[in-house]
Amino acid sequence: MPISTQTGRVVILGASGYIGQHLTAHLSRNGFQVTAAARRIEWLQQQKWPHVRCCFADVYQSKTLAAAFEGADVLVYLVHAMTEDDDLLEKERQAAQHTLLALKDSQIKHIVYLGSMQPEDNHSPHLQARKLTGDLLRMSNIPVTELRTGIVIGAGSAAFEVMRDMVYNLPVLTPPRWVRSKSSPVALENLLNYLQGLVTLPATENLILEAAGPEYISYQTLFERFIAMSGKRRWLIPIPLPTSFVSVYFLSLITSVPTSLAKALIQGLNHDLPADSAELQRLIPQNLIAIDDAIRNTLAQEQQQVMDSPDWGYDPDARARWRPGYGYYPKQAGFTLETSASKASLWKIVQQLGGQEGYFYANGLWKTRARIDDLLGGGVKYGRPDRDFLKIGDKIDGWKVIGLKPQRELALLFGMKAPGLGRLTFTITDNGESRSLDVRAWWHPAGFSGLLYWFSMMPAHQFIFRGMAKRIASLARQKDRCGR
């Protein structure tokens, strides 16, 4: 019989990843008891999913997995290392082996593993790593159902966001020859339904299944359809650029998708990835969403998913400023400093932002940026609250406080005129004998002009944030000495 959603618990290992967070929410909505396990425990807790227990788990420390596996009947394994190719296979091996060690003392009866389609001539380290993980998990005495898939169409999917960014950011698209490779893109909703079905599927032996969408098409055809739906006039001219050049230079310039995700995508797209989902459809029948409909649904969902993130503090001004075409993933630049200063002192100094110390470093540059906004008609109101502590909603010159976690993080919404949506964060982490202070800007660019703005500001960001972190740490150490 299928595992009862009332008594059986599903543990999702890698719950803070792209598929993991969607699957956790999906199972939660459908009444499953879920343990969401990942290293980003605070992020998991902020999601406030009903019927979900959040648990810290590090696959490189098998002892941390015991608490996550406690009381679980099914493990959904979604962990994938995103590291350099030289380390990738070894990292994947270590993660799977530590998981196998922890499974020996668990009550888990079924493992569902989300892998990748495997071409016959496979030279991709990322695809090889997915296969290795499946092979290792099958070394346990627990039945493993491996679900292999290719391109996923959904908000935040690397394949979708690379395509979207290129269409919105470039008047002429010159992707390399890998866009001619074919696969069977599947809508995120269909994939989640398949995974839910596998969780409840009685498992007595190892299975390898393939998930395919309704069409077997090239990535170039996906581009052409997206361009038609976007209403933009774009030339699509594939050129034979080397994959390594594209991944390192080209995509990092014209898309906001993290380089590690884009690189894994490209390696997979170097091959045709035919899929046969007949057996999967027999086990878990469902209507497959047409590719064009999946693209339209994804575009409609993007704003909601970005704005529903705790990163933006659910702020109405941030939501009002979001526009279609803004990059889903933010560009980022910052500086992290280790210091002996206490958390309390660092927090007190950070909250003085905009006061007597100004912005702690290069105040002339900050004032110049505000004056430019004045010339553009931005209407910045200068000043800050006349108190030593900040509250949500406080205004500091052209910034607004949208996130405040005492002695941990201060987040501000960028309110000046610019092509995109941005925020600035000050994050304090206690490392035991020392603390780390991270000062970082996050930017969702608005098309090509948003990218130009970001890269023009990049040198100043690197210079300013380093100086800000050092000055804050210095003032905090002074406060600690005065306190003693």
Side-chain angles (χ1 to χ4, degrees), residues 18-131:
Y18 170 62
I19 297 297
Q21 54 188 274
H22 285 288
L23 182 60
T24 302
H26 182 82
L27 294 182
S28 171
R29 286 194 299 269
N30 285 282
F32 285 75
Q33 295 183 51
V34 180
T35 293
R39 285 184 293 187
R40 292 199 296 160
I41 180 63
E42 185 176 334
W43 185 92
L44 292 175
Q45 292 168 340
Q46 289 175 343
Q47 308 311 305
K48 296 183 173 19
W49 292 304
H51 315 296
V52 175
R53 177 177 73 105
C54 299
C55 189
F56 174 83
D58 184 347
V59 289
Y60 302 111
Q61 301 178 43
S62 57
K63 292 181 179 179
T64 68
L65 302 179
F69 293 172
E70 184 177 351
D73 298 295
V74 179
L75 166 64
V76 181
Y77 190 96
L78 301 175
V79 176
H80 296 307
M82 288 296 176
T83 184
E84 295 300 319
D85 293 346
D86 293 342
D87 300 325
L88 181 59
L89 288 173
E90 181 56 30
K91 285 290 187 182
E92 290 281 288
R93 185 191 308 276
Q94 291 177 13
Q97 289 177 338
H98 283 123
T99 302
L100 289 174
L101 185 62
L103 284 169
K104 290 181 179 179
D105 298 322
S106 76
Q107 298 177 345
I108 288 173
K109 304 175 182 66
H110 183 197
I111 300 170
V112 176
Y113 167 57
L114 182 62
S116 297
M117 296 299 302
Q118 296 294 318
E120 293 183 6
D121 184 18
N122 184 4
H123 300 293
S124 162
H126 283 274
L127 295 183
Q128 291 173 4
R130 302 297 185 266
K131 182 178 184 302

Side-chain angles (χ1 to χ4, degrees), residues 374-390:
D374 288 341
L375 294 175
L376 295 173
V380 171
K381 294 182 180 180
Y382 298 98
R384 59 152 288 154
D386 187 19
R387 45 181 151 79
D388 294 333
F389 59 91
L390 296 171

Side-chain angles (χ1 to χ4, degrees), residues 6-20:
Q6 300 300 317
T7 59
R9 179 172 288 276
V10 181
V11 55
I12 300 176
L13 196 54
S16 64
Y18 170 62
I19 297 297

